[in-house]
Amino acid sequence: VAVGRFSNESTYGRGLLLDTDLDPLGKQASDILVTMLQGSNRFLIFERPDLTKIEREQEIAGEGKAVGADALILGSISEFGRATEGTSGFLSSTKRQRVRAVVNLRLVEVSTGRVFFAADGVGEAITESGEIAGFGSKAAYDATLNEKAITSAIGEVIGEVIRELEARPWRTYLLDMDQDVVYVSGGYRQGLKVGDQLVVMRAGKTVISKQTGLPIELPGTEVARLRVQSQFGD
């Protein structure tokens, strides 16, 4: 799974930013999303916003190239707002800081560019302080509320994203063959275990739909069956 841009479509901080690539709110949301996906231990996650930096390091090290992904996750902060509320009396006062965030996550099929899933998540974070007759706490500006609200919003929808990704049919490609032993990319993270049977298919013809313009792969042909004997690597 590749994580692409996470844009800030709200008006928060717009007047202070001349370069949208430096938007701290969008970058923060992207980092939180990657951390949650990685924590699920269900996917291989690839960074896309920092792809140029990765490619530069690969050139220096003389290594590899970027790996293609099955699905691309795009996100945006559609709403974001801070509010400070409070009451003041003769001997007491209270102050409440509230942050509300709405995020939208979209899953894109890399091969066609088609959005096949979208969902919104809403999150809030609140801190409150009070003072009576000069005693109590005084709350200054709490920057951590931004992160808490975004984390809450992404957390509300991340379960749906994971279920949607896991529900998609899984397939892999043959890596190599040595006599009667075939190596494939896939293992315990994909739910494979010793004894499982895999079907080897010759890919069907790909045609372009005149109705949608999208490529459609016609049914393939079964050419062999494999039984998992052992696993290796990560």
Side-chain angles (χ1 to χ4, degrees):
V1 179
V3 178
R5 63 174 176 82
F6 209 116
S7 60
N8 176 17
E9 304 299 331
S10 72
T11 57
Y12 184 81
R14 284 285 183 183
L16 302 176
L17 296 171
L18 298 179
D19 187 348
T20 56
D21 291 336
L22 300 178
D23 176 20
L25 213 58
K27 183 67 168 65
Q28 191 175 40
S30 177
D31 292 342
I32 292 171
L33 175 60
V34 169
T35 301
M36 286 187 177
L37 287 171
Q38 190 65 37
S40 72
N41 201 32
R42 288 179 167 93
F43 312 102
L44 299 177
I45 312 298
F46 297 94
E47 291 271 12
R48 286 299 182 257
D50 297 324
L51 185 59
T52 54
K53 298 177 183 177
I54 295 173
E55 290 176 336
R56 190 178 305 119
E57 290 301 318
Q58 288 178 339
E59 289 179 4
I60 295 174
E63 296 179 353
K65 61 180 181 179
V67 176
D70 298 315
L72 174 67
I73 301 181
L74 300 177
S76 62
I77 300 174
S78 55
E79 294 181 35
F80 190 89
R82 293 187 66 107
T84 301
E85 308 160 347
T87 60
S88 180
F90 179 62
L91 293 176
S92 65
S93 63
T94 61
K95 180 181 179 181
R96 171 183 292 181
Q97 297 179 61
R98 181 195 302 269
V99 177
R100 182 178 186 272
V102 179
V103 300
N104 174 268
L105 295 180
R106 301 177 299 285
L107 299 181
V108 180
E109 194 173 61
V110 173
S111 59
T112 63
R114 178 179 66 91
V115 176
F116 62 88
F117 177 80
D120 294 321
V122 181
E124 277 194 350
I126 300 172
T127 185
E128 189 171 351
S129 61
E131 175 178 280
I132 299 177
F135 297 95
S137 61
K138 293 185 178 180
Y141 178 86
D142 190 349
T144 65
L145 290 181
N146 292 1
E147 179 181 353
K148 292 175 181 176
I150 294 173
T151 300
S152 176
I154 295 177
E156 187 180 70
V157 75
I158 193 68
E160 295 180 56
V161 171
I162 291 175
R163 284 192 294 272
E164 184 69 25
L165 288 170
E166 289 189 323
R168 292 174 67 78
W170 177 80
R171 67 179 183 180
T172 187
Y173 294 89
L174 304 184
L175 296 175
D176 196 13
M177 189 170 76
D178 182 9
Q179 296 182 357
D180 62 343
V181 177
V182 177
Y183 298 93
V184 302
S185 54
Y188 70 94
R189 288 195 181 188
Q190 286 72 40
L192 294 183
K193 56 185 181 297
V194 174
D196 283 352
Q197 192 174 79
L198 305 178
V199 177
V200 181
M201 304 288 294
R202 177 177 289 113
K205 181 181 179 181
T206 299
V207 298
I208 302 299
S209 168
K210 294 182 179 179
Q211 181 180 12
T212 64
L214 295 175
I216 297 176
E217 184 178 310
L218 301 181
T221 305
E222 180 179 332
V223 295
R225 295 206 173 198
L226 308 176
R227 188 176 302 279
V228 179
Q229 291 184 329
S230 63
Q231 300 182 359
F232 68 95
D234 295 327

